[in-house]
Amino acid sequence: MTRVRTIVAPVLFGVAALAAWQLAVVALGIRPFVLPSPFAIGEQFARNAGVVTDAAGVTAGNALVGLVLGVAVAVVFAMLSATLRVVDQVSAPLVVAASVVPIVALAPVLYTMFGASVETARQLVAALAVFIPVYVNSLRGLRTVRPIHRDLMRAYAASGWQATRTVTLPGALPFFFTGVRIASSLAVISALIAEYFGGPVGGLGKSITSAVASSNYPLAWAFVLGAILTGLVFYCVTLALETVATRHRTSG
């Protein structure tokens, strides 16, 4: 019953919000360039489903590469920081600096470095956005070991690797997946934003810009809908992976 309520409640809220949006556009006579109606957006989305899907595929591909790269680098750095105090002290200011790098300024620089005809700049922007939440949460998880578990490992005369494998890494999993869930949506958003500043013709960001330039605002919102659905897919896949990976902890 609780699970049904969890699913039905947001669906009903979403339907009510769309109905209120449609009613407001019709009743107030809002022009399409200000805010198209949900019906007009849905019509454009259905009519251009293939185009939206192709653009979403480009953005999703860049976001996926950035997500994998950012997660891998973040986990390695988190493990080094948790193990070596000197790495933690050196990397702390670098992580703070990386967290405040503006994507709008970084994307054009990366296009100049790697060329505007390849997707490398977009993937690196997504990787940078992914790095921070995964690093911070993974490091916190690696440092969160209950004293009773640590004492138990000492009582069993467990080696450092045995303690890490049986206590530290399983305890860090929930923190790691929290960071990945946050990063999954950030990867899509970052890759999309990077498309605004150059690169190959393709992706949702470029498509939104082109639709707005031709004053086809419902189509632009249809691409925005495609971006939302892409972000939801990334989030749901990450959530499913987390459920599978931590299932034994939940059932226990």
Side-chain angles (χ1 to χ4, degrees), residues 139-163:
L139 182 58
R140 183 184 176 193
L142 291 171
R143 287 174 172 169
T144 305
V145 179
R146 293 182 179 179
I148 187 173
H149 292 164
R150 187 170 51 240
D151 295 340
L152 189 62
M153 288 294 102
R154 288 174 180 168
Y156 286 151
S159 64
W161 168 243
Q162 287 175 323

Side-chain angles (χ1 to χ4, degrees), residues 184-202:
S184 62
S185 301
L186 280 178
V188 176
I189 295 171
S190 303
L192 190 150
I193 292 176
E195 294 169 2
Y196 279 96
F197 300 96
V201 178

Side-chain angles (χ1 to χ4, degrees), residues 5-23 38:
R5 188 183 304 166
T6 304
I7 297 174
V8 171
V11 170
L12 291 178
F13 178 78
V15 171
L18 289 175
W21 181 355
Q22 179 73 33
L23 182 63

